[in-house]
Structure formats: structure tokens, C-alpha cells
Amino acid sequence: MTQDFKALANQYKQALLEDVLPFWQKHSIDWEKGGYFTCLDRAGNVFDTDKFIWLQNRQVWIFSMLYNQLEKREDWLKIAANGANFLAQHGRDSEGNWYFALTREGQPLVQPYNIFSDCFAAMAFSKYALASGEDWAKDVALQAYHNVLRRKDNPKGQYTKAYPGTRVLKSLAVPMILANLSLEMDWLLPSEQLEQILATTVQEVMTDFLDPARGLMYEAVAPDGTHVDCFDGRLINPGHGIEAMWFMMAIADRHHDTATIQQAVDVILNILDFAWDQEFGGLFYFMDADGRPPQQLEWDQKLWWVHLESLVALAMGYRLTGREACWQWYQKLHEYAWSHFADPDYGEWFGYLNRRGEVLLNLKGGKWKGCFHVPRALYLCWQEFSALSGE
């Protein structure tokens, strides 16, 4: 692959605007009850009508973000409003905590058992408020954001399965999502609060969760950042680690912090070296830091979001540093991802492959895959390669 950045930008732009977004616009909008269907088979047929709060909010975010940053298209705003109005009416319990799942009609199905529903609600309603100009949406965004801040040190609260005090671990997911969420909400937050949260999350991610000897990002550590020798304490989640690094680069770029950008690129390259399947290609889903058997039985699957987040991270890393290793890895990941996940016959991308790279689940959306990682990555890679081409 030659460095034809303009052609790459066009490839991502075309995939986003002519393939992926039309797929979701055609098949996922529940105009009758509100919100979105996410359980879609290969051709886009709905196979389950339950509505998962993460995915509902993420789809509101996608269409609001594109309306704000790409084009003021009324159909995009209408789709975002269809989800935002449904969620505002049905998505929270009486104390303002966001459920995990609802029925098609909006009845609660699964309790608000962690704060990630609140995270994505804050992201969604922040961008929807910006797109729509609705003050009530700002209020929803800020309420959800303050929920996240209030619960971040005990994200599962009463729903945790852990026995208190025996083996206390903290998760990379919390500071990495809080970092990205705060960036997404910069227009709504006081600048002093925003900068303090960004600095704190960068410090925590790059100090407590990064093993300096191995250069790998651990998924869970003790509260003081030390390793715990158990399944969870040895867990490496390559997709999370790499996604966290492009969040870190975005924050560091905002502050012209070249040292953190270079450190994040180092971590990305280390994770790729560690997680690449030398036999069949692609990135493993879960790994044990010490090479022991992981507890996740799906550890060797190849997942769409892991590869897409890696493409974003490598494109961003190459633009910001010009390091040749980023470009070499980008080419390798691009070839694998586009040849294995993209579906030229029915549109959108497959989500789940077995270790050999064969389609494992013949779906385009489900309980965990919705209208988020594919369109976000396509949009971001389009912007990165447009910048690299000088446009």
C-alpha cells in the first residue's frame, strides 16, 4: 500500500456515507416506538427488539456528532431526536441512574448495574444538545455526567458481585472512558473542571495501568497501581489498551504534549506486537500478560472494534509523529480489517470472527455491536487521512 492518503480518505468517506450510515438508517430506526433496533442479521433484518442503553445512546451520539461536525442534515437530526426523546422518557430509574436494557416499548429489563450507560448518555445528550439547541438535553447530559463522577470509584455500586475488601481492583475502562467523555463534553463543562479531569485521567491511565517494564496496558490493577496475580490482574485487553491510547493522544495533542503522544505510540506498538496472531493474523480479543490460559473462553476471537480502534490509533499516531512503524502497522491492520470484516454484499461490517478469520456470527448488530465503532472509526480515519493529504 503506497501512501496515497487522499485515496484512503475517500475510501473511508465512501464507506461511511454510502454504506454504513445508510445501512443503519434503513434497518435500525424504530419510528413507531422510538429508539433503535440493534439486533440486525447480515441483511439488516431485526431478530430481537430489546433495546440496550449503551447502543441507543451511542447511536444518538453518532448522528448528532455527524450533524454537528460534518453536515447539518435534517434526516440525521431527526434520527438522533428519535433516540434522544425515547431515552429521556424511558432510560433512567427514579434516582436518575441509566438502565442497561429496555423492552422495545421502553419498559426496564436490566437494572443500572454499572456507570457505562451513564457515560454514553452523557456523551449522547451533550452532542444532541449541541445539534438541537434543546436546553433540556443539556440538563440530561450534565446529570448523567455528574452521576459518572459520583460513582466512578464504585462503578457497579450495589450490583457488584465482588466481596468487599478481599481483592480490590480498579478497571482501566473507567478513567479511559471518563477521559474521552470529558473531551466530548468540553463545550458544556467549566474549563477548570475539564482540565483537572483530563489531567487526572491521563495521569492515572499512563501511570497506574501502564506497566513500564513491558510497555503494556493492564485492564485491572490494585488501587495503588500494583499488579495482582490473578485472572483479572493479568488480563490484557488489546482493543481497550489501544483505544485508550488514542484518547490519550487526543488530549495530549490539545495541550501540545509531544512526550505523552510519543509514549502513547510506544504503547500502541507494544500492544500490537504482543497481541498479533502470528499464525492466522488479526488481534486477539483477550490475553494473559504472563502467557497463561485466559479465563475468557472467547479469548482468541477477532472482533471488529478491536481492529477499528487500532486503525484510528495508528492513523492518528502516524499523523502526529510520522513514525514509520505506525505506517507499517497501519498497512497490516488495514489489509486484515477490510478483507475480513467489511461485507461488500450486504453492507456494514461483521463483528465476530473465529481465530482463523472466518465469520463466527452472521450479524451486523446485537447486544454489544451497534451503530458506533464502525461509523466512528470510518469518520475519524477519513479525517486523519484528509489531514495527512493536506486537505
Side-chain angles (χ1 to χ4, degrees):
M1 182 190 294
T2 59
Q3 290 182 329
D4 189 345
F5 300 131
K6 189 171 183 179
L8 281 168
N10 286 334
Q11 179 178 353
Y12 283 102
K13 176 183 178 181
Q14 183 176 7
L16 176 67
L17 298 180
E18 299 176 24
D19 172 15
V20 171
L21 285 181
F23 182 92
W24 291 98
Q25 287 179 259
K26 181 178 180 181
H27 300 296
S28 77
I29 318 301
D30 186 354
W31 294 118
E32 183 183 348
K33 302 294 185 183
Y36 317 107
F37 301 116
T38 62
C39 295
L40 306 176
D41 69 12
R42 183 184 184 188
N45 300 302
V46 177
F47 64 85
D48 195 288
T49 61
D50 288 349
K51 292 172 178 172
F52 306 99
I53 295 291
W54 289 21
L55 302 185
Q56 299 291 310
N57 275 309
R58 285 170 159 188
Q59 191 155 342
V60 172
W61 180 85
I62 282 288
F63 281 95
S64 299
M65 180 275 291
L66 293 173
Y67 180 89
N68 292 328
Q69 295 178 219
L70 199 55
E71 185 181 349
K72 299 281 191 286
R73 284 180 48 169
E74 286 305 311
D75 58 332
W76 289 351
L77 186 59
K78 186 179 178 183
I79 289 168
N82 189 60
N85 291 327
F86 175 80
L87 288 163
Q89 185 175 354
H90 301 292
R92 292 172 288 181
D93 69 12
S94 59
E95 296 178 0
N97 299 306
W98 288 81
Y99 296 114
F100 179 79
L102 310 172
T103 66
R104 180 186 177 189
E105 294 75 19
Q107 292 299 309
L109 268 178
V110 180
Q111 298 276 17
Y113 67 84
N114 68 32
I115 62 169
F116 300 121
S117 292
D118 301 74
C119 288
F120 296 120
M123 275 178 63
F125 281 88
S126 168
K127 282 292 187 280
Y128 178 68
L130 192 60
S132 66
E134 297 283 2
D135 284 338
W136 65 264
K138 288 185 190 178
D139 295 337
V140 174
L142 288 169
Q143 189 263 335
Y145 186 73
H146 290 129
N147 252 9
V148 174
L149 295 182
R150 176 174 57 83
R151 296 177 58 193
K152 66 182 177 64
D153 294 326
N154 185 22
K156 292 189 177 182
Q158 63 179 310
Y159 302 107
T160 185
K161 293 184 283 187
Y163 188 84
T166 300
R167 182 187 288 156
V168 180
L169 295 172
K170 63 178 183 176
S171 168
L172 171 64
V174 175
M176 69 173 272
I177 290 179
L178 183 57
N180 180 245
L181 168 58
S182 301
L183 268 189
E184 287 292 326
M185 295 186 63
D186 63 352
W187 73 284
L188 270 181
L189 300 176
S191 59
E192 186 176 329
Q193 180 191 26
L194 173 65
E195 294 305 330
Q196 180 184 358
I197 290 171
L198 292 179
T200 300
T201 53
V202 171
Q203 170 74 14
E204 186 174 8
V205 169
M206 302 306 286
T207 303
D208 288 357
F209 293 93
L210 175 60
D211 183 307
R214 294 180 172 182
L216 297 175
M217 194 64 55
Y218 279 64
E219 191 67 12
V221 294
D224 64 357
T226 56
H227 295 313
V228 179
D229 189 13
C230 64
F231 276 125
D232 291 332
R234 295 191 303 270
L235 180 63
I236 305 292
N237 181 336
H240 253 182
I242 291 170
E243 184 181 14
M245 289 306 96
W246 78 250
F247 294 169
M248 297 299 104
M249 285 193 288
I251 295 169
D253 188 35
R254 175 189 177 100
H255 298 132
H256 310 291
D257 178 0
T258 55
T260 298
I261 291 170
Q262 292 287 357
Q263 185 184 25
V265 169
D266 288 341
V267 175
I268 292 165
L269 298 174
N270 288 336
I271 295 172
L272 291 171
D273 283 333
F274 184 76
W276 184 259
D277 184 344
Q278 298 292 343
E279 186 174 356
F280 295 104
L283 297 167
F284 289 119
Y285 187 17
F286 292 113
M287 302 185 76
D288 185 283
D290 296 337
R292 299 174 187 172
Q295 68 175 326
Q296 291 83 1
L297 303 182
E298 68 276 24
W299 69 274
D300 65 346
Q301 289 179 20
K302 311 294 168 62
L303 267 69
W304 85 108
W305 70 268
V306 175
H307 294 76
L308 284 160
E309 299 304 331
S310 299
L311 291 174
V312 172
L314 289 164
M316 184 184 292
Y318 186 67
R319 175 179 63 83
L320 291 172
T321 69
R323 288 170 62 171
E324 185 63 21
C326 287
W327 178 243
Q328 295 299 325
W329 265 111
Y330 173 81
Q331 295 176 89
K332 195 171 183 176
L333 263 293
H334 179 102
E335 168 59 30
Y336 184 89
W338 282 89
S339 64
H340 287 79
F341 291 102
D343 183 357
D345 297 324
Y346 290 91
E348 238 277 348
W349 286 38
F350 295 110
Y352 305 88
L353 313 178
N354 65 20
R355 182 177 177 184
R356 294 183 297 277
E358 300 157 343
V359 174
L360 187 63
L361 292 172
N362 201 15
L363 55 75
K364 297 297 169 51
K367 182 177 179 178
W368 302 106
K369 183 180 188 292
C371 181
F372 183 64
H373 284 286
V374 179
R376 181 176 73 167
L378 295 177
Y379 173 75
L380 290 173
C381 286
W382 167 18
Q383 301 307 306
E384 292 294 340
F385 287 116
S386 291
L388 280 162
S389 70
E391 292 187 349

